């Protein structure tokens, strides 16, 4: 039970720059690998970072929820779009 409390305490300390750094790291790895796997999660992390900067009182459960939803939705939309299908066919 103490481990869960420690994790929750750590998550409460996430700032906007953590999300921005995560997004930048994901995009840097994406540029190096060109696999298109980290593009949309990286952009989602950047969006959450900007939202966290604009609304500092936003709690960590909402941050993580937004990240997961944005990353999953944007990845699915990309892969179903004509651009994503062309990129995956190469």
């Amino acid at each position: 039970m103490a481990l869960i409390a420690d994790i929750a305490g750590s998550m409460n300390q996430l700032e906007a720059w953590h999300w921005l750094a995560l997004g930048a790291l994901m995009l840097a790895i994406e540029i190096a690998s060109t696999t298109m796997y980290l593009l949309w999660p990286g952009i989602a992390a950047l969006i959450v970072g900007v939202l966290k900067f604009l609304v500092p009182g936003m709690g960590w459960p909402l941050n993580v929820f937004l990240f997961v939803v944005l990353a999953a939705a944007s990845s699915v939309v990309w892969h179903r779009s004509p651009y994503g299908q062309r990129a995956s066919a190469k």
Side-chain angles (χ1 to χ4, degrees):
M1 206 60 173
L3 178 63
I4 294 172
D6 289 341
I7 293 172
S10 298
M11 294 295 284
N12 281 331
Q13 296 175 358
L14 286 179
E15 298 292 333
W17 70 268
H18 290 105
W19 288 104
L20 295 172
L22 177 66
L25 179 65
M26 286 182 171
L27 291 177
I29 293 170
E30 176 59 42
I31 289 170
S33 69
T34 67
T35 59
M36 302 297 280
Y37 291 124
L38 294 176
L39 176 66
W40 296 107
I43 292 172
L46 291 175
I47 291 171
V48 171
V50 169
L51 288 173
K52 179 72 175 173
F53 181 75
L54 295 174
V55 185
M58 198 165 50
W60 71 268
L62 183 57
N63 290 339
V64 173
F65 176 76
L66 285 174
F67 172 71
V68 169
V69 168
L70 287 172
S74 61
S75 294
V76 168
V77 168
W78 168 255
H79 287 292
R80 291 186 179 186
S81 74
Y83 299 111
Q85 291 174 357
R86 257 188 289 167
S88 64
K90 289 183 180 179

